[in-house]
Amino acid sequence: MARARSTSTGDTPGSLGIGRSHIGIVLVLGLLVVLGLRLVWVQGFDVAGRAEAAATDRSRTEVVPALRGEIRDTDGNVLARTLQRYDVTVDQSKVREFQRLQADGTAETVTPTQAVYQLADALELEDTEVKKSLDGEKQFEYVARGVTPEQWNTVRELDLPYVYGQPSSDRIYPNGPVAGSVVGFMGGDDEALGGIEQTQDELLRGTDGSRTFEISADGVRIPVAPTEESPVTDGSSVQLSIDSDVQFIAQQAVTERTEELGADWGTAVVMRIEDGAVLGLADSSTVDPNDLGSAAPEDLGARAVTQAVEPGSTQKILTAAAAVEEGLVTPRTEITVPPFLEIDGEKITDSFDHDEQDRTFAGIIADSMNTGTVMVGSKLSPEQRHAWLQRFGVGETTGIELPGESRGILAPVDQWDKRQQYTVLFGQGVSQTPLRTATVFQAIANGGVQVEPRVVEAVVDADGTRTPVERPEGERIVSEETAQQILDLMEVTVTEGGAKEAAVEGYRVGGKTGTAEAPGAEGGYDGYTTSFVGVAPIEDPQYLVAVTLQRPEGDVRTIGATGTFSKIMGQVLRHYGVPPSTTDPVEIPLRTDEPEKTAPEDAPPDVVGTDDATDDTGDSTTEGTTATPDPSATASGSASPSPSRPADEGD
């Protein structure tokens, strides 16, 4: 019986076909699973991440600038303030009808025409003007510039998605050029460029905030979307020791004198003695921070801080203090002064011709005699002279909070030539700022304790918290006894010596004149620097005034600063209500041979700046400066070689 043929279901061709289809199905199913898992992950497990990425794509952040702090004077009067402003702009390509959400949750349709009317009302502009700024295809156009914060807030409340506000600010200076070089100024991009604006920029600037909002796919801000803001920290205000009234008084007086004499410039420093607070720092020509473009480059800084000059005979007060402190002399020490002095082959002369005279040390300083000053000062070794100059701060900055302070020039003692070692005793061969010269007198008037000057008094935070700035500790330079004896010298210089025009009616005053040669731009010397520094009331010194004039024109006897000092000091004393003096001035004879005959006030100098000749303007300048000596007479009775620098013993 034949066997029946079985039908195979697993032959090779059939098996291969079924395998391929199964594999394809598996692959499709696997892909679907992967996609499904990804969808589950995205929708179920990474909602925040995807949402954050989408939000990031739609978000825009704008800076909200901090309000710059004010600069104020000692009484709180504003010297600089910032007015917050906004520039309103529009993206014309996005201007279209939109839906604005109302407070009750409903929406209203706002057409471009309605937007024009609403913007015009908010900005107080003509409808046609606003319409012109909205019409077009520009992506950036100004609608209004410099609008107030109140106006911008009104615009913001309109929720116009194609209108934006760019913060801006106006820095204004209510006092204009009064204290302009002290307050400073701002440049482009809100860059602080001078004065307190520059040195205190970090405090004044504050910390900007930010505002983040969402935009739609077409780049228009979504009005109803939430807005995130980071807080703004407004800048602190800086309160100065400057008194606006005193500043005005000093600035006006020094400007008048500078213009009268055709000087290059003039400065006046007004200082409170006990703590070195600068009450006035005046320049004859200065910057108006409101009109920076009109200022000359040389007027941008405070010259009493930035300009180093030879101090002339005001430095004799430093020499006198050193000599008294070292026990070499007292104001009443008697010294025989020759017609001129020959020392180490150098000839030192005075601004007036005289025979041999028996003087007190007070008389030498009062009539500003170089000869007698060198006779006393040369008892100090050159190293001691240099050390005393350093001790009073010469050759170093004061650290005042203003940019560009000059340290002056004090050469190392081993670099002094044989003449300079003597001329530094009366303010030649050394340079310093008028402010540094003032600190020498401050130390004497403060009982021998020097306090470096400062102009920043306090910092006031945005919340109104006032923090006084710690002032430098004083450093004792000389003893109280020495300081008092030098004050006596300064008083007789005004009452009996060559600075009578520095007197202030009703008050005891002391001070010292100075005349030095001014260096020329091409080298050499081409004029004078005249000055006067004084304190009052001398029995209880409270205020100091230092006046400096650069290259005044005219006879050297009539280009001084004593009258200008008197004018400023008198008004300062009255401004602060200082009672008039009730005690008598100290009396020290200037000469012991002929007490009634001192340096004649009308004696013309032969070479450089003098200080005691009075002119009809009320300023006098006759100092102990170099005069050409009579070649037939010297201290030793024989001719002396000519000096290496013919006119360097200027007052």
Side-chain angles (χ1 to χ4, degrees):
M1 175 175 169
R3 293 179 64 182
R5 181 178 294 174
S6 62
T7 303
S8 175
T9 62
D11 62 346
T12 299
S15 297
L16 289 173
I18 293 172
R20 292 191 190 97
S21 64
H22 285 175
I23 291 172
I25 292 171
V26 170
L27 290 174
V28 171
L29 290 175
L31 182 59
L32 291 174
V33 170
V34 171
L35 292 175
L37 290 174
R38 177 61 179 166
L39 185 61
V40 170
W41 169 257
V42 169
Q43 294 185 345
F45 297 98
D46 193 31
V47 175
R50 296 290 294 176
E52 181 179 352
T56 300
D57 291 339
R58 298 193 307 270
S59 67
R60 294 290 183 273
T61 300
E62 64 181 21
V63 175
V64 180
L67 187 66
R68 190 173 182 83
E70 296 179 341
I71 300 175
R72 306 169 184 166
D73 79 349
T74 188
D75 293 323
N77 299 310
V78 175
L79 303 176
R81 66 155 51 98
T82 292
L83 300 180
Q84 186 66 60
R85 293 290 183 262
Y86 289 86
D87 295 335
V88 180
T89 66
V90 62
D91 183 344
Q92 295 174 342
S93 66
K94 308 299 183 185
V95 176
R96 60 176 61 90
E97 184 178 289
F98 72 97
Q99 296 292 311
R100 180 162 58 200
L101 187 66
Q102 301 295 295
D104 59 4
T106 62
E108 67 169 341
T109 300
V110 180
T111 67
T113 300
Q114 290 173 316
V116 167
Y117 296 151
Q118 293 169 5
L119 265 178
D121 290 342
L123 297 172
E124 299 180 355
L125 297 174
E126 295 293 333
D127 295 343
T128 54
E129 186 177 349
V130 174
K131 183 178 185 302
K132 182 179 179 180
S133 65
L134 267 59
D135 286 344
E137 292 299 324
K138 295 180 182 178
Q139 293 183 328
F140 181 91
E141 182 61 60
Y142 286 106
V143 179
R145 305 188 68 170
V147 305
T148 66
E150 291 76 18
Q151 287 176 307
W152 168 239
N153 287 335
T154 303
V155 171
R156 283 185 62 189
E157 291 172 359
L158 297 176
D159 276 337
L160 302 175
Y162 39 76
V163 172
Y164 307 90
Q166 293 186 333
S168 64
S169 60
D170 286 337
R171 192 70 166 169
I172 63 170
Y173 302 87
N175 282 19
V178 177
S181 58
V182 177
V183 174
F185 43 87
M186 304 293 291
D189 299 324
D190 291 332
E191 182 182 7
L193 296 179
I196 293 298
E197 294 278 30
Q198 180 178 337
T199 63
Q200 307 302 305
D201 183 52
E202 187 174 346
L203 286 170
L204 292 164
R205 186 173 293 279
T207 304
D208 294 341
S210 65
R211 181 182 297 112
T212 302
F213 54 86
E214 292 187 23
I215 61 173
S216 61
D218 59 1
V220 176
R221 180 168 57 84
I222 302 173
V224 296
T227 299
E228 296 182 4
E229 298 188 6
S230 65
V232 175
T233 302
D234 288 335
S236 298
S237 293
V238 175
Q239 186 168 10
L240 307 181
S241 56
I242 294 291
D243 184 321
S244 292
D245 292 334
V246 170
Q247 178 72 27
F248 178 79
I249 290 167
Q251 203 161 313
Q252 186 178 52
V254 77
T255 298
E256 288 177 356
R257 185 61 172 163
T258 300
E259 292 177 350
E260 177 185 3
L261 297 177
D264 287 358
W265 51 261
T267 68
V269 179
V270 183
M271 189 184 299
R272 188 167 58 225
I273 288 171
E274 71 173 335
D275 61 359
V278 177
L279 308 175
L281 200 60
D283 280 288
S284 57
S285 58
T286 187
V287 60
D288 180 349
N290 295 308
D291 187 17
L292 185 59
S294 298
E298 59 270 21
D299 290 339
L300 299 181
R303 291 185 178 88
V305 174
T306 64
Q307 299 296 308
V309 297
E310 289 191 343
S313 286
T314 56
Q315 206 82 316
K316 289 173 181 171
I317 293 301
L318 187 157
T319 299
V324 172
E325 184 74 1
E326 295 283 356
L328 302 177
V329 289
T330 71
R332 297 177 184 273
T333 297
E334 297 182 16
I335 301 168
T336 299
V337 182
F340 52 87
L341 183 66
E342 182 183 358
I343 183 169
D344 290 341
E346 297 299 317
K347 185 178 293 184
I348 308 296
T349 61
D350 294 317
S351 65
F352 58 96
D353 294 330
H354 60 82
D355 296 327
E356 183 177 283
Q357 294 182 352
D358 293 330
R359 289 264 179 172
T360 61
F361 185 53
I364 288 171
I365 298 300
D367 286 331
S368 205
M369 301 178 74
N370 295 332
T371 50
T373 301
V374 171
M375 290 175 68
V376 172
S378 61
K379 294 180 181 180
L380 300 167
S381 69
E383 290 75 19
Q384 284 179 302
R385 299 168 213 174
H386 193 276
W388 273 105
L389 288 164
Q390 286 185 314
R391 191 167 179 176
F392 273 97
V394 177
E396 298 294 335
T397 60
T398 68
I400 194 169
E401 309 94 329
L402 290 171
E405 183 177 14
S406 172
R407 66 191 320 119
I409 299 175
L410 175 61
V413 66
D414 59 5
Q415 294 181 16
W416 286 354
D417 61 27
K418 62 179 181 178
R419 189 171 191 80
Q420 189 177 11
Q421 64 177 314
Y422 300 113
T423 63
V424 296
L425 295 170
F426 49 83
Q428 298 281 344
V430 61
S431 71
Q432 59 208 50
T433 64
L435 183 63
R436 170 53 75 196
T437 300
T439 67
V440 173
F441 287 73
Q442 181 276 333
I444 298 301
N446 196 39
V449 177
Q450 187 178 71
V451 183
E452 294 287 38
R454 293 294 181 264
V455 74
V456 175
E457 191 169 81
V459 175
V460 183
D461 293 340
D463 62 4
T465 302
R466 184 181 186 277
T467 304
V469 173
E470 186 174 351
R471 304 198 67 79
E473 291 187 8
E475 179 182 358
R476 179 160 293 284
I477 308 299
V478 296
S479 67
E480 289 188 35
E481 294 77 12
T482 293
Q484 183 56 57
Q485 291 183 68
I486 303 305
L487 285 176
D488 291 345
L489 294 179
M490 290 164 57
E491 184 171 29
V492 297
T493 298
V494 174
T495 58
E496 303 175 49
K500 294 182 176 65
E501 293 301 323
V504 177
E505 185 176 358
Y507 296 91
R508 292 174 59 188
V509 173
K512 185 70 186 76
T513 50
T515 304
E517 290 183 292
E522 305 298 326
Y525 295 84
D526 63 357
Y528 302 110
T529 304
T530 62
S531 58
F532 185 87
V533 188
V535 302
I538 203 75
E539 70 275 17
D540 179 23
Q542 296 182 43
Y543 300 102
L544 174 153
V545 173
V547 181
T548 303
L549 303 171
Q550 182 73 335
R551 294 189 184 87
E553 297 176 358
D555 189 298
V556 73
R557 297 170 298 180
T558 63
I559 55 175
T562 48
T564 306
F565 161 85
S566 177
K567 183 182 298 184
I568 296 172
M569 179 61 85
Q571 294 191 62
V572 167
L573 294 171
R574 291 186 288 273
H575 174 72
Y576 290 115
V578 178
S581 299
T582 57
T583 55
D584 294 329
V586 65
E587 293 185 2
I588 303 176
L590 304 190
R591 294 178 61 174
T592 57
D593 51 359
E594 296 177 280
E596 299 304 318
K597 296 181 180 180
T598 61
E601 294 187 6
D602 59 354
D606 291 319
V607 181
V608 245
T610 63
D611 78 268
D612 286 352
T614 307
D615 67 353
D616 58 6
T617 65
D619 271 285
S620 64
T621 72
T622 303
E623 281 280 359
T625 62
T626 299
T628 301
D630 178 357
S632 65
T634 68
S636 61
S638 60
S640 173
S642 61
S644 59
R645 175 182 163 199
D648 66 355
E649 284 91 19
D651 173 38

